[in-house]
Amino acid sequence: MAGAVQADDKVLHVYNWSDYIAPDTIKKFEAESGIKVVYDVFDSNETLEAKLLAGKSGYDIVVPSNNFLAKQIKAGVYQKLDKSKLPNWKNLNTDLLKAVSVSDPGNEHAFPYMWGSIGIGFNAEKVKAALGADAPTNSWDLLFKPENAAKLKSCGISFLDSPTEMIPVALHYLGYPTDSQDKKQLAEAEALFLKIRPSVGYFHSSKYISDLANGNICVAVGYSGDIYQAKSRAAEAGDKVKVSYNIPKEGAGSFYDMVAIPKDAENVEAAYKFMNYLLEPKVMAAITNSVRFPNGNEKATALVDKDITSDPGIYPPADVQAKLYAIADLPAATQREMTRSWTKIKSGK
């Protein structure tokens, strides 16, 4: 038995979002550290949370978004970090650390990996064909006006399958607080979605990347970096499909994905080594260059491709950033209500 445990010491279990790491990040870490990595992926916070709250997830490193992290910290899911084991912590962006400290006071349990916005990815040519040259691609009107959605139905619309991220979009559009717990306001957000539901092709949190890239859909509400990945896949495939991304002028949701160690992690030492490796500027810059999300590592910015750092959809200017709202950590009762509402929206009944 001792031999088996010994061998296992050399295995690190990582659970991260799909399409969210450079192709060689893991290989290089394995070569450098001698630790074997078992790397699994998810595409929604709800999936990750179910595993964490059930306990014994089997993972040593997980990557929740900050609003879910806050709730999971309260549930006692994570270890406090020993920062003496993370000498590269000094490379992190202090403004970002401050921003995420609302979810994790004192940054005791996690550090920011990547962040981004939730906006509109679209195929300009198909949208123009459906709605004309003045299609409001820089506004949520593009989708929430039923007459626009109806015209886009034939070329394909998708939304993220995430009540905690999509219902706030509708609340914001209606002029309500994005963290509203008011039943009447939540009902209005549901009604807004139900009005356009007949025009929506599907709700999914990763399928839209390839569908946008190959022209199967023409509008997707999704994560900024995923839409940029669709854009680069389309370019690699010969540029027949051109994908664009806009942060709507009314404002949009933002998220911070955080790296943390579950309380019941089995290989804590290896988890710290992996965290410290991720905090190396060249490692983080290579990930951003691959996945096209901005990272939380200040020292990495200079190493990121200029076409990425100069793109306002990826690194939004201050005036746009001011209109981004964080996804709130909501009480369990409101979250249950949102989930029920979302089931209704998806089924269209």
Side-chain angles (χ1 to χ4, degrees):
M1 258 325 277
V5 173
Q6 225 65 50
D8 218 9
D9 257 7
K10 285 286 181 201
V11 180
L12 175 74
H13 291 265
V14 177
Y15 199 31
N16 194 2
W17 293 80
S18 53
D19 302 290
Y20 215 31
I21 201 158
D24 58 356
T25 313
I26 298 294
K27 275 203 298 275
K28 284 183 170 168
F29 173 73
E30 288 179 326
E32 218 174 275
S33 65
I35 294 163
K36 182 178 164 22
V37 177
V38 177
Y39 188 82
D40 294 332
V41 299
F42 57 89
D43 75 357
S44 81
N45 273 298
E46 286 79 2
T47 304
L48 169 62
E49 177 156 279
K51 287 209 171 166
L52 288 171
L53 295 182
K56 304 233 180 309
S57 69
Y59 292 108
D60 306 303
I61 290 273
V62 293
V63 189
S65 298
N66 59 308
N67 56 317
F68 276 76
L69 174 85
K71 198 164 25 147
Q72 291 153 3
I73 288 171
K74 290 177 194 138
V77 166
Y78 299 113
Q79 307 197 3
K80 274 193 180 175
L81 296 177
D82 176 353
K83 291 175 192 167
S84 70
K85 293 180 177 166
L86 299 169
N88 288 329
W89 185 275
K90 64 181 186 299
N91 299 324
L92 287 164
N93 180 317
T94 49
D95 288 341
L96 265 195
L97 283 173
K98 201 163 118 200
V100 296
S101 69
V102 297
S103 310
D104 177 18
N107 305 111
E108 289 188 332
H109 301 84
F111 69 82
Y113 175 65
M114 300 276 156
W115 66 280
S117 55
I118 297 167
I120 300 173
F122 60 100
N123 177 325
E125 200 181 322
K126 288 191 171 181
V127 170
K128 187 177 165 184
L131 291 175
D134 53 358
T137 52
N138 67 335
S139 167
W140 290 112
D141 285 347
L142 183 71
L143 295 162
F144 286 131
K145 289 214 154 146
E147 61 274 24
N148 290 342
K151 287 179 186 161
L152 293 166
K153 179 182 181 175
S154 59
C155 62
I157 294 173
S158 80
F159 278 86
L160 291 174
D161 185 7
S162 168
T164 51
E165 289 168 323
M166 292 296 93
I167 289 172
V169 173
L171 287 166
H172 187 68
Y173 181 75
L174 293 165
Y176 297 136
T178 53
D179 59 353
S180 175
Q181 294 169 40
D182 180 308
K183 289 196 158 107
K184 189 175 155 299
Q185 294 178 358
L186 289 165
E188 278 184 54
E190 180 188 294
L192 183 66
F193 264 110
L194 285 171
K195 267 193 214 119
I196 61 164
R197 177 63 188 94
S199 304
V200 178
Y202 63 81
F203 298 86
H204 199 279
S205 297
S206 52
K207 181 170 136 55
Y208 66 94
I209 305 177
S210 51
D211 281 349
L212 259 184
N214 57 30
N216 284 352
I217 59 174
C218 61
V219 182
V221 174
Y223 304 120
S224 51
D226 285 356
I227 290 159
Y228 277 94
Q229 284 178 49
K231 184 179 179 167
S232 57
R233 284 185 201 179
E236 282 157 22
D239 235 3
K240 285 189 276 297
V241 174
K242 290 218 180 336
V243 175
S244 303
Y245 176 74
N246 280 340
I247 294 171
K249 62 174 195 261
E250 298 88 355
S254 62
F255 57 86
Y256 301 90
D257 291 327
M258 312 293 293
V259 183
I261 304 176
K263 196 150 251 178
D264 55 9
E266 285 177 13
N267 199 344
V268 177
E269 288 313 304
Y272 276 113
K273 283 183 183 148
F274 186 67
M275 277 183 156
N276 201 49
Y277 169 78
L278 285 181
L279 288 166
E280 282 178 27
K282 66 174 192 298
V283 172
M284 212 34 118
I287 298 174
T288 286
N289 287 337
S290 172
V291 303
R292 313 191 90 74
F293 282 95
N295 61 64
N297 192 311
E298 195 165 9
K299 302 279 191 306
T301 309
L303 308 172
V304 174
D305 294 345
K306 291 291 166 278
D307 67 317
I308 293 178
T309 50
S310 63
D311 189 317
I314 305 178
Y315 280 81
D319 60 327
V320 176
Q321 214 161 328
K323 288 186 180 169
L324 296 179
Y325 57 82
I327 307 292
D329 161 30
L330 294 162
T334 305
Q335 211 178 314
R336 277 194 300 274
E337 199 159 315
M338 278 185 163
T339 305
R340 276 197 299 272
S341 182
W342 195 242
T343 305
K344 217 167 125 181
I345 289 164
K346 282 179 15 182
S347 68
K349 294 180 181 71

